[in-house]
Amino acid sequence: RRIYDLGEETVGYLFMRFRAPKGSLVRILYGEHLVQDENGESAVQRIIKNRDFSLELYGSGEWFDFSNFMRRLGCRYLQVECEDNVDVESIGMHPVVYPLTVLPYQADTPLHQRIYDTSVKTLRCCMFEHYEDCPWREQAMYTMDSRNQMLCGYYAFGEYAFARASLELMCLDRREDGQLHITFPTDQDFVIPSFTLYWLLQMREYAEYSKDLSLIQKYSDKMDAVLDRFLQQKENGLIVNFHSDVRYWNFYEWQPTLQGLKEVGRVKSVDLVLNALLSFSLRQRAVMLRWLGCLEEACKREEQSSALNEEINRAFWSQEKQLYTDKPGVMQFSALGNSLAILCGAADSKCSAMICDN
């Protein structure tokens, strides 16, 4: 076993010049960190659940130059394993990064500058054919992950072409149920409903920062179809979660009560996060409609948001705790749910101040 440290997170294509006995298996593992194996020695972790972070080559008995230009890796460490003797003359990565101009930024302290520079580096590592949730593992584009990346990128790079292309890839997604797939592109018949709503926020922010209204104009009908699909979930003034379809994952956040895993996600419930997020999305849509001069339609979306906010206040506000509960009548609270209650306008200025204090 040999481990090679690239010095920092690196994205690109693997290259390696090696010699191993003919027919012998040479395995290259790649990862962002090291773990301890059963012998207490440092190692790159190859198997994580059903994922295998390795490539296999076979020795020819001669020196062989290998480059893989079909598979982009993200890692800091490379590990070479072979049951037979293997000679490695060189190994590393051909860096592949999207061409960007990083806007100058001067932080107030060296530590803050280091944090900022690391954040910008992380953003760049997650931009390839589209935004990626992480350069090492899934390398997939989700709406909520890419929303944060786009928004930070507007400040760090002042570049909008990459965001537009990624958003259009989402816009071209098609499902018969009016939702968006979990990632783009994918052949997985799987949905996170809350992530579908974050797409509207992305569309509004792109138009705001780029000053390009053509995208929200082009896909105006699709945004309305998404909102109308969620409004079909209304029962007694509030929308219920998508509990009856195994293709739906009612995920909101990686917290035990909000991640919607296993049987919890299959139980019918009325969730603060989903209702507040829908109200917030209706308001995002209203802003975009006003930019396009569609005032009557904008007022309709604002009225739908206000009506939903009234029901949110009725069902979720705890006078005792001065907070919104995650579910009606359940003394369970989350920062995400209360933040969205403020953002969607359900909480007035007085309640918002109390929520922040609490």
Side-chain angles (χ1 to χ4, degrees):
R1 173 192 300 171
R2 300 177 188 176
I3 296 176
Y4 301 89
D5 185 353
L6 301 176
E8 62 179 359
E9 180 79 7
T10 305
V11 292
Y13 300 130
L14 174 71
F15 69 84
M16 180 176 167
R17 178 172 171 79
F18 72 100
R19 181 175 60 188
K22 186 174 182 178
S24 60
L25 174 63
V26 179
R27 180 175 280 116
I28 300 100
L29 289 65
Y30 59 96
E32 293 181 322
H33 60 277
L34 298 177
V35 297
Q36 284 192 332
D37 64 12
E38 62 277 7
N39 298 318
E41 298 179 351
S42 294
V44 174
Q45 188 172 5
R46 176 190 162 198
I47 303 295
I48 301 178
K49 294 185 178 179
N50 63 338
R51 298 183 175 97
D52 186 335
F53 297 95
S54 70
L55 299 90
E56 294 181 351
L57 304 175
Y58 289 90
S60 64
E62 305 290 338
W63 283 104
F64 182 71
D65 291 293
F66 171 81
S67 292
N68 187 344
F69 294 107
M70 299 298 292
R71 184 174 177 182
R72 179 177 183 259
L73 306 183
C75 63
R76 173 170 174 172
Y77 298 99
L78 297 167
Q79 179 173 307
V80 178
E81 296 179 345
C82 183
E83 291 184 358
D84 298 306
N85 182 50
V86 57
D87 297 316
V88 178
E89 183 177 285
S90 61
I91 186 171
M93 301 267 278
H94 298 291
V96 179
V97 293
Y98 181 76
L100 284 167
T101 299
V102 178
L103 300 179
Y105 176 79
Q106 185 62 50
D108 54 350
T109 69
L111 175 59
H112 288 163
Q113 188 68 50
R114 187 177 175 191
I115 292 170
Y116 183 85
D117 293 342
T118 301
S119 300
V120 170
K121 172 70 187 296
T122 302
L123 278 174
R124 300 198 71 181
C125 285
C126 293
M127 299 172 72
F128 187 42
E129 294 175 333
H130 50 61
Y131 291 99
E132 299 174 340
D133 63 326
C134 49
W136 170 43
R137 291 179 54 167
E138 291 93 331
Q139 300 182 345
M141 181 167 68
Y142 296 80
T143 55
M144 189 169 72
D145 301 60
S146 62
R147 177 264 167 172
N148 295 336
Q149 293 166 322
M150 290 178 188
L151 184 60
C152 293
Y154 298 149
Y155 288 93
F157 312 127
E159 195 268 0
Y160 307 102
F162 195 91
R164 182 189 170 94
S166 295
L167 285 169
E168 188 132 35
L169 189 59
M170 299 176 193
C171 294
L172 294 172
D173 186 66
R174 291 289 182 268
R175 289 184 61 89
E176 79 287 348
D177 56 7
Q179 294 275 358
L180 298 182
H181 281 92
I182 186 172
T183 58
F184 316 89
T186 185
D187 59 0
Q188 282 187 293
D189 189 13
F190 205 45
V191 170
I192 300 179
S194 65
F195 278 30
T196 296
L197 293 173
Y198 283 111
W199 169 65
L200 281 94
L201 174 60
Q202 292 179 271
M203 294 288 279
R204 195 273 293 168
E205 288 175 337
Y206 169 77
E208 177 184 354
Y209 284 88
S210 70
K211 311 304 180 188
D212 171 18
L213 302 184
S214 64
L215 200 64
I216 62 172
Q217 176 71 60
K218 183 176 181 180
Y219 295 101
S220 194
D221 290 345
K222 187 176 181 69
M223 285 187 279
D224 284 327
V226 163
L227 291 172
D228 291 339
R229 173 63 188 91
F230 276 86
L231 290 169
Q232 290 174 12
Q233 293 288 116
K234 263 195 176 185
E235 293 184 12
N236 300 318
L238 292 166
I239 62 168
V240 298
N241 68 341
F242 294 81
H243 60 94
S244 60
D245 195 325
V246 296
R247 300 175 302 166
Y248 288 14
W249 177 16
N250 291 291
F251 171 84
Y252 306 123
E253 184 179 37
W254 286 117
Q255 296 291 336
T257 58
L258 297 179
Q259 58 192 17
L261 294 177
K262 299 181 180 177
E263 67 279 357
V264 177
R266 300 271 70 86
V267 175
K268 182 178 179 179
S269 67
V270 180
D271 303 333
L272 170 64
V273 172
L274 194 60
N275 279 272
L277 188 55
L278 175 57
S279 175
F280 182 57
S281 299
L282 288 164
R283 289 177 177 267
Q284 302 301 306
R285 181 66 181 133
V287 170
M288 290 184 275
L289 286 165
R290 289 188 178 278
W291 288 344
L292 297 175
C294 305
L295 303 185
E296 184 176 342
E297 292 89 339
C299 288
K300 174 187 172 183
R301 294 305 186 188
E302 289 165 348
E303 290 169 1
Q304 290 171 334
S305 174
S306 296
L308 192 53
N309 285 347
E310 289 183 16
E311 297 298 326
I312 288 171
N313 284 322
R314 175 187 60 80
F316 296 101
W317 179 253
S318 168
Q319 192 64 33
E320 175 189 353
K321 297 293 186 179
Q322 300 290 289
L323 290 168
Y324 290 90
T325 62
D326 286 334
K327 298 180 188 296
V330 178
M331 290 296 101
Q332 170 186 307
F333 310 91
S334 66
L336 176 62
N338 279 273
S339 298
L340 286 170
I342 294 173
L343 290 171
C344 76
D348 59 23
S349 57
K350 182 179 179 181
C351 286
S352 297
M354 289 189 291
I355 288 169
C356 294
D357 287 341
N358 291 335

